[in-house]
Amino acid sequence: KNQVEQSPQSLIILEGKNCTLQCNYTVSPFSNLRWYKQDTGRGPVSLTIMTFSENTKSNGRYTATLDADTKQSSLHITASQLSDSASYICVVSAGREYGNKLVFGAGTILRVKS
Amino acid sequence: DGGITQSPKYLFRKEGQNVTLSCEQNLNHDAMYWYRQDPGQGLRLIYYSQIVNDFQKGDIAEGYSVSREKKESFPLTVTSAQKNPTAFYLCASSRTSGSLNEQFFGPGTRLTVL
């Protein structure tokens, strides 16, 4: 069964600290993996996309990694800010032969405290 | 401004009523999607449309209906047959349905059944 599991479910950190969110998936075949940021009561916004051949991709203070062999991805947030408080969702896309189906994780809720 | 709009932001429905959620995009995207988001769960696909006048059922289409008469519009009707309609509904669009094309999300509609 195609699944995306994220950990932890929720996380509280102090402003300025770093944190790492985890994503494990069983989706096969694999096309690409995205991390989305969703502010409370809003729609998700894409942060990064990674294909099979990419190991690391950065977007400002956000750095995503992908290990396609172990089917794991992480999102590292550096020097956190209050505005980073949101839900972070890992989304894996299956291949074209499966209609490019997207499988969404349940998200990690991050709260940054001052 | 280019983007996706959803209306209303909040919607209250009595049991047994049908309600229609609006989704409009001015991004000239061919593909549009409707998702349902429940607490602690990943987004689930209700319906999607790859082109005008065509749409396909997603994973949880029962109790929902859609139409795609115009490229920019993809309304979702929640019928009385939907047993548990209280949820956050997200509309998205992408240039095409290809897996590398980012899905852009609207701000969402929160539906509550009274």
Side-chain angles (χ1 to χ4, degrees), chain A residues 2 4-5 11 15-16 18 28 35 45 61 69-70 72-73 75 77 83 92 108:
Chain A
N2 288 333
V4 175
E5 302 286 343
L11 182 63
E15 187 178 14
N18 303 337
S28 182
W35 282 93
V45 175
R61 295 179 296 100
D69 292 330
T70 61
Q72 296 180 324
S73 176
L75 181 69
I77 304 175
S83 59
V92 180
T108 292

Short mmCIF file of all heavy atoms in Angstrom, two decimals, chain A residues 2 4-5 11 15-16 18 28 35 45 61 69-70 72-73 75 77 83 92 108:
data_model
loop_
_atom_site.label_atom_id
_atom_site.label_comp_id
_atom_site.label_asym_id
_atom_site.label_seq_id
_atom_site.Cartn_x
_atom_site.Cartn_y
_atom_site.Cartn_z
N ASN A 2 0.55 2.20 -0.87
CA ASN A 2 1.32 3.45 -0.93
C ASN A 2 1.02 4.32 0.28
O ASN A 2 -0.12 4.72 0.50
CB ASN A 2 0.95 4.21 -2.20
CG ASN A 2 1.51 3.55 -3.44
OD1 ASN A 2 2.52 2.87 -3.39
ND2 ASN A 2 0.85 3.74 -4.55
N VAL A 4 2.74 7.48 3.12
CA VAL A 4 3.75 8.46 3.52
C VAL A 4 3.57 8.72 5.01
O VAL A 4 2.49 9.12 5.44
CB VAL A 4 3.58 9.78 2.72
CG1 VAL A 4 4.56 10.83 3.24
CG2 VAL A 4 3.79 9.55 1.23
N GLU A 5 4.63 8.44 5.77
CA GLU A 5 4.59 8.60 7.22
C GLU A 5 5.53 9.73 7.62
O GLU A 5 6.69 9.75 7.20
CB GLU A 5 5.02 7.32 7.92
CG GLU A 5 4.16 6.11 7.57
CD GLU A 5 2.79 6.16 8.23
OE1 GLU A 5 2.63 6.94 9.19
OE2 GLU A 5 1.88 5.45 7.77
N LEU A 11 5.96 19.47 17.01
CA LEU A 11 7.27 19.86 17.51
C LEU A 11 7.21 21.31 17.96
O LEU A 11 6.63 22.15 17.26
CB LEU A 11 8.29 19.69 16.38
CG LEU A 11 9.75 19.99 16.63
CD1 LEU A 11 10.31 19.03 17.67
CD2 LEU A 11 10.53 19.83 15.32
N GLU A 15 12.74 30.06 19.03
CA GLU A 15 13.17 30.89 17.90
C GLU A 15 14.69 30.90 17.81
O GLU A 15 15.39 31.04 18.81
CB GLU A 15 12.65 32.31 18.09
CG GLU A 15 12.87 33.24 16.92
CD GLU A 15 12.28 34.61 17.18
OE1 GLU A 15 11.94 34.91 18.34
OE2 GLU A 15 12.15 35.39 16.22
N GLY A 16 15.18 30.72 16.58
CA GLY A 16 16.62 30.72 16.36
C GLY A 16 17.23 29.33 16.32
O GLY A 16 18.36 29.16 15.83
N ASN A 18 17.49 25.19 15.27
CA ASN A 18 17.30 24.38 14.06
C ASN A 18 16.41 23.19 14.38
O ASN A 18 16.29 22.79 15.54
CB ASN A 18 18.64 23.86 13.55
CG ASN A 18 19.64 24.96 13.26
OD1 ASN A 18 19.26 26.11 13.04
ND2 ASN A 18 20.91 24.62 13.31
N SER A 28 5.50 3.42 -4.63
CA SER A 28 6.27 2.82 -5.71
C SER A 28 5.39 2.65 -6.94
O SER A 28 4.24 2.21 -6.80
CB SER A 28 6.84 1.47 -5.26
OG SER A 28 7.62 0.90 -6.27
N TRP A 35 8.00 18.93 -0.47
CA TRP A 35 7.64 19.40 0.85
C TRP A 35 6.79 20.66 0.67
O TRP A 35 7.16 21.57 -0.08
CB TRP A 35 8.88 19.73 1.67
CG TRP A 35 9.58 18.52 2.23
CD1 TRP A 35 10.60 17.83 1.66
CD2 TRP A 35 9.30 17.87 3.48
NE1 TRP A 35 10.98 16.79 2.48
CE2 TRP A 35 10.19 16.79 3.59
CE3 TRP A 35 8.37 18.09 4.51
CZ2 TRP A 35 10.20 15.93 4.70
CZ3 TRP A 35 8.37 17.25 5.60
CH2 TRP A 35 9.27 16.18 5.70
N VAL A 45 1.74 25.51 0.40
CA VAL A 45 2.62 26.17 -0.56
C VAL A 45 3.87 25.32 -0.71
O VAL A 45 4.47 24.92 0.29
CB VAL A 45 2.98 27.59 -0.09
CG1 VAL A 45 3.99 28.22 -1.05
CG2 VAL A 45 1.74 28.46 0.02
N ARG A 61 16.30 29.06 4.11
CA ARG A 61 16.65 28.37 5.35
C ARG A 61 16.10 26.92 5.38
O ARG A 61 16.29 26.23 6.38
CB ARG A 61 16.10 29.15 6.54
CG ARG A 61 16.72 30.52 6.73
CD ARG A 61 16.13 31.28 7.92
NE ARG A 61 14.72 31.57 7.73
CZ ARG A 61 13.74 30.87 8.28
NH1 ARG A 61 14.01 29.85 9.09
NH2 ARG A 61 12.48 31.20 8.06
N ASP A 69 17.07 5.11 -1.86
CA ASP A 69 17.29 3.70 -1.54
C ASP A 69 16.54 3.28 -0.29
O ASP A 69 15.93 2.22 -0.24
CB ASP A 69 18.79 3.44 -1.35
CG ASP A 69 19.55 3.57 -2.66
OD1 ASP A 69 18.96 3.30 -3.73
OD2 ASP A 69 20.74 3.94 -2.63
N THR A 70 16.59 4.13 0.73
CA THR A 70 15.89 3.82 1.99
C THR A 70 14.49 4.42 2.02
O THR A 70 13.74 4.22 2.96
CB THR A 70 16.67 4.34 3.20
OG1 THR A 70 16.79 5.76 3.10
CG2 THR A 70 18.05 3.70 3.26
N GLN A 72 13.54 7.61 2.29
CA GLN A 72 13.43 8.57 3.37
C GLN A 72 13.79 9.96 2.88
O GLN A 72 14.66 10.12 2.02
CB GLN A 72 14.36 8.19 4.53
CG GLN A 72 14.02 6.87 5.20
CD GLN A 72 14.98 6.54 6.33
OE1 GLN A 72 16.16 6.83 6.24
NE2 GLN A 72 14.44 5.96 7.39
N SER A 73 13.10 10.95 3.46
CA SER A 73 13.41 12.34 3.17
C SER A 73 13.37 13.11 4.48
O SER A 73 12.70 12.71 5.44
CB SER A 73 12.40 12.93 2.19
OG SER A 73 12.63 14.32 1.98
N LEU A 75 13.43 17.34 6.09
CA LEU A 75 13.40 18.79 5.86
C LEU A 75 14.05 19.45 7.07
O LEU A 75 13.56 19.31 8.19
CB LEU A 75 11.97 19.30 5.70
CG LEU A 75 11.84 20.80 5.43
CD1 LEU A 75 12.37 21.14 4.04
CD2 LEU A 75 10.39 21.26 5.56
N ILE A 77 15.25 22.87 8.94
CA ILE A 77 14.99 24.31 9.02
C ILE A 77 16.07 24.93 9.89
O ILE A 77 16.26 24.52 11.06
CB ILE A 77 13.60 24.60 9.60
CG1 ILE A 77 12.53 23.89 8.77
CG2 ILE A 77 13.33 26.11 9.62
CD1 ILE A 77 11.11 24.02 9.33
N SER A 83 7.61 32.93 12.04
CA SER A 83 6.79 32.71 10.84
C SER A 83 6.93 31.30 10.28
O SER A 83 6.18 30.92 9.37
CB SER A 83 7.18 33.72 9.76
OG SER A 83 8.55 33.59 9.42
N VAL A 92 4.47 12.55 -1.98
CA VAL A 92 5.22 11.72 -2.92
C VAL A 92 4.35 11.44 -4.14
O VAL A 92 3.16 11.10 -4.01
CB VAL A 92 5.66 10.40 -2.27
CG1 VAL A 92 6.43 9.55 -3.27
CG2 VAL A 92 6.52 10.68 -1.05
N THR A 108 3.68 17.44 9.82
CA THR A 108 4.27 17.73 11.13
C THR A 108 3.92 19.16 11.48
O THR A 108 4.18 20.08 10.71
CB THR A 108 5.81 17.57 11.12
OG1 THR A 108 6.15 16.20 10.95
CG2 THR A 108 6.41 18.09 12.41
#
